[in-house]
């Protein structure tokens, strides 16, 4: 079954399995013995950054021009593998990069100093909360302005230029302020690598006078770098699977629930493979909708406590064992912490950690490897799904709206349901649209 839904399983082949800058078929990234020599005029920081973005799978950068980033944008425009997409404002650019990262595995936006950086901040904070690798590039002050006690435009009117950096420190996993060329390539590479490794946004500020300056470190094409994929501790993985198999195989009616951290763990396919191998019924948490197929015969719907899809909560909460893969239990997803779940019946699987019941807990266990290994060991049990079929009553189809009748919500969403195809993506804002979109049945491939 093809389970590449909403790109939950990660980036395009250019940046898959942690191998950055490698052909899709390459098992690793050798350091090439010969790389094309770049002419002195092209041996610049701006070109290096542009090439790095292309290497990791970014082909579109969402930008708002400003005088601090104009030179840098010129170099991004000159890169054949990049397309610069102008946005009406920085917040739009940040959210576009967020969506791009969801679909492609990594995104990038470019803004100007402070007046642009503070404007994009909310989108970057959202990407941080959603575990999305977004590279936020800000054009910074001229390197000669640092330490001069001057007040610059586009700032808050003080000679301290660190306000933007301090704001980004709380919503990015790494920050780099490039003010000289000697270590610029290392700072850029570290920032990009950290974003991919941590699956979080990073902040990269580049002084406005540097992008076009040549430097010996840029005289060759960037050597492809390699991000070693995170691997489970083998003994920990085996122990976690053993404890889980014992826990699940003695259960009468176990179920599975997919959570939003399936995406950062790139474990969507492994989750569905476990469904197929186990025969368990499975549900999704509301913020995981679109991450796994809803066309699978054992799909129950959205588990959301008292406001779950019809008959879904009854099956999940009456189960004697439930495995949650990548959950986030906040007040919203748990309906004010009103879930009727018991810890001693739950297996909680996070991207790198497994907790079985009231214990034990296993660290350094990668979710994707764990679910794949579990699929080979767990016994078939479709009792929960059979119980669901016994109590399930199909929803009635809403009547069509009559002429001159006020539009009803159920009629509106019937039309939306009919519009959806496997090439669609649904964007649902928190509130009424979120609640009603949970009732939509997404076709295969619809994110």
């Amino acid at each position: 079954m093809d389970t590449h839904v909403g790109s939950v399983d990660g980036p395009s082949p250019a940046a898959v399995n942690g191998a950055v800058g490698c052909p899709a078929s390459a098992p690793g990234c050798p350091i090439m013995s010969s790389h094309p020599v770049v002419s002195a005029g092209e041996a610049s920081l701006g070109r290096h950054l542009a090439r790095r973005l292309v290497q990791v799978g970014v082909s579109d950068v969402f930008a708002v021009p400003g005088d601090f980033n104009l030179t840098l944008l010129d170099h991004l425009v000159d890169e054949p593998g990049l397309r610069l997409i102008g946005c009406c404002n920085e917040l739009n650019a940040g959210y576009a990069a967020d969506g791009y990262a969801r679909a492609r595995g990594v995104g990038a936006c470019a803004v100007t100093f402070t007046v642009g950086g503070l404007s994009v901040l909310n989108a970057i904070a959202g990407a941080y909360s959603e575990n999305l690798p977004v590279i936020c590039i800000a054009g910074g002050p001229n390197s000669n302005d640092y330490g001069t006690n001057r007040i610059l435009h586009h700032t808050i009117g003080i000679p301290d230029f660190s306000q933007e950096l301090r704001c980004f420190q709380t919503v990015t996993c790494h920050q780099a302020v490039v003010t000289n060329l000697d270590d610029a390539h290392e700072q850029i590479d570290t920032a990009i690598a950290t974003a991919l490794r941590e699956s979080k946004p990073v902040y990269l500020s580049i002084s406005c006078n540097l992008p076009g300056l040549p430097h010996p470190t840029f005289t060759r094409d960037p050597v492809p770098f390699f991000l070693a994929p995170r691997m489970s501790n083998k003994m920990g993985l085996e122990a976690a699977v053993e404890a889980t198999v014992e826990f699940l195989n003695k259960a009468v009616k176990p179920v599975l629930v997919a959570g939003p951290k399936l995406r950062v763990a790139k474990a969507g396919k492994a989750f569905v493979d476990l469904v197929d191998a186990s025969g368990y019924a499975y549900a999704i948490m509301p913020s995981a909708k679109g991450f796994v197929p809803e066309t699978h015969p054992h799909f129950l719907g959205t588990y959301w406590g008292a406001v779950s899809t019809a008959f879904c909560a009854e099956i999940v909460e009456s189960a004697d064992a439930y495995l949650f893969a990548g959950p986030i239990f906040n007040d919203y997803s748990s309906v004010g912490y009103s879930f009727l779940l018991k810890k001693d019946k739950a297996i909680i699987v996070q991207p790198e950690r497994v907790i079985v019941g009231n214990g034990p807990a296993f660290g350094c266990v990668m979710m994707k490897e764990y679910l794949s290994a579990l699929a080979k060991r767990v016994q078939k049990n479709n009792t929960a799904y059979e119980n669901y079929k016994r109590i399930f009553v199909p929803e009635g189809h809403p009547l069509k709206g009559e002429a001159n009748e006020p539009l009803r919500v159920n009629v509106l969403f019937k039309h939306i349901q009919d519009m959806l195809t496997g090439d669609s993506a649904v964007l649902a804002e928190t509130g009424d649209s979120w609640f009603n979109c949970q009732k939509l049945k997404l076709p295969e491939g619809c994110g």
Side-chain angles (χ1 to χ4, degrees):
M1 174 185 290
D2 180 10
T3 61
H4 193 72
V5 182
S7 295
V8 69
D9 282 322
S12 58
V16 77
N17 290 331
V20 181
C22 295
S25 59
C29 280
I31 296 179
M32 307 300 183
S33 58
S34 60
H35 279 272
V37 176
V38 180
S39 67
E42 294 180 331
S44 64
L45 181 156
R47 182 182 184 278
H48 178 86
L49 175 59
R51 293 300 302 146
R52 277 295 190 226
L53 293 175
V54 172
Q55 281 187 348
V56 300
V58 173
S59 54
D60 300 273
V61 177
F62 301 92
V64 177
D67 52 359
F68 285 106
N69 69 4
L70 289 178
T71 303
L72 177 61
L73 295 184
D74 285 341
H75 288 273
L76 300 184
V77 169
D78 286 343
E79 168 54 48
L82 277 183
R83 181 173 58 165
L84 200 66
I85 299 180
C87 298
C88 295
N89 59 58
E90 290 84 3
L91 193 60
N92 286 354
Y95 282 129
D98 172 303
Y100 194 91
R102 294 170 191 262
R104 294 284 295 273
V106 58
C109 58
V111 299
T112 194
F113 181 57
T114 304
V115 68
L118 299 186
S119 182
V120 77
L121 196 64
N122 199 38
I124 300 303
Y128 189 93
S129 71
E130 292 287 330
N131 298 290
L132 296 168
V134 172
I135 302 161
C136 182
I137 306 162
N142 189 301
S143 60
N144 298 322
D145 285 328
Y146 284 89
T148 61
N149 205 36
R150 295 170 177 167
I151 295 176
L152 289 181
H153 68 292
H154 285 351
T155 68
I156 61 170
I158 59 176
D160 178 3
F161 302 154
S162 66
Q163 187 203 34
E164 180 179 88
L165 170 64
R166 295 198 306 273
C167 291
F168 275 94
Q169 283 173 336
T170 59
V171 294
T172 55
C173 68
H174 182 84
Q175 309 83 37
V177 178
V178 180
T179 57
N180 70 85
L181 293 177
D182 291 340
D183 62 352
H185 66 292
E186 295 177 7
Q187 288 186 281
I188 290 170
D189 289 359
T190 299
I192 293 174
T194 304
L196 295 171
R197 185 173 60 250
E198 301 296 328
S199 196
K200 294 278 191 182
V202 295
Y203 166 76
L204 179 60
S205 173
I206 298 176
S207 289
C208 60
N209 61 315
L210 299 184
L213 296 182
H215 193 270
T217 54
F218 306 129
T219 55
R220 292 178 178 269
D221 267 350
V223 175
F225 58 88
F226 176 76
L227 292 182
R230 291 185 173 181
M231 306 293 289
S232 299
N233 177 293
K234 187 175 180 181
M235 293 180 64
L237 175 62
E238 291 174 354
V241 171
E242 193 66 40
T244 305
V245 167
E246 181 182 355
F247 189 93
L248 292 176
N249 285 351
K250 67 182 181 183
V252 176
K253 44 184 180 179
V255 297
L256 303 172
V257 182
K261 290 190 177 180
L262 271 180
R263 175 172 54 211
V264 66
K266 299 178 176 62
K269 183 179 185 305
F271 181 87
V272 179
D273 288 344
L274 177 58
V275 172
D276 292 334
S278 66
Y280 294 179
Y282 75 98
I284 54 171
M285 298 185 76
S287 50
K289 189 172 178 68
F291 285 7
V292 293
E294 300 185 8
T295 51
H296 193 287
H298 285 198
F299 177 68
L300 300 177
T302 300
Y303 175 63
W304 202 0
V307 292
S308 298
T309 305
F311 308 105
C312 179
E314 290 87 336
I315 298 301
V316 172
E317 293 176 351
S318 66
D320 51 352
Y322 17 73
L323 184 152
F324 281 79
I328 295 178
F329 296 115
N330 58 21
D331 57 332
Y332 198 71
S333 67
S334 63
V335 196
Y337 308 109
S338 63
F339 274 174
L340 298 178
L341 301 173
K342 295 183 178 179
K343 186 179 178 182
D344 60 348
K345 294 182 180 181
I347 299 171
I348 306 299
V349 187
Q350 295 296 1
E352 299 182 14
R353 181 177 172 84
V354 176
I355 303 174
V356 180
N358 288 321
F362 304 90
C364 199
V365 175
M366 304 299 117
M367 183 193 296
K368 185 176 179 180
E369 294 180 69
Y370 166 82
L371 295 178
S372 296
L374 190 59
K376 299 173 184 176
R377 295 282 310 279
V378 73
Q379 293 176 2
K380 201 92 170 178
N381 185 338
N382 63 355
T383 303
Y385 176 65
E386 293 299 326
N387 289 346
Y388 174 72
K389 286 204 303 183
R390 242 191 323 271
I391 66 173
F392 178 73
V393 177
E395 291 185 7
H397 294 291
L399 298 174
K400 293 183 179 180
E402 299 295 333
N404 301 319
E405 179 188 34
L407 179 63
R408 301 196 304 271
V409 171
N410 58 349
V411 174
L412 170 64
F413 275 84
K414 178 182 183 300
H415 288 301
I416 294 173
Q417 178 71 70
D418 293 341
M419 293 166 61
L420 296 180
T421 69
D423 296 324
S424 304
V426 179
L427 304 180
E429 178 58 278
T430 304
D432 285 355
S433 62
W434 178 277
F435 301 137
N436 285 286
C437 282
Q438 293 296 334
K439 302 173 187 177
L440 295 174
K441 191 70 177 288
L442 302 184
E444 182 78 17
C446 180

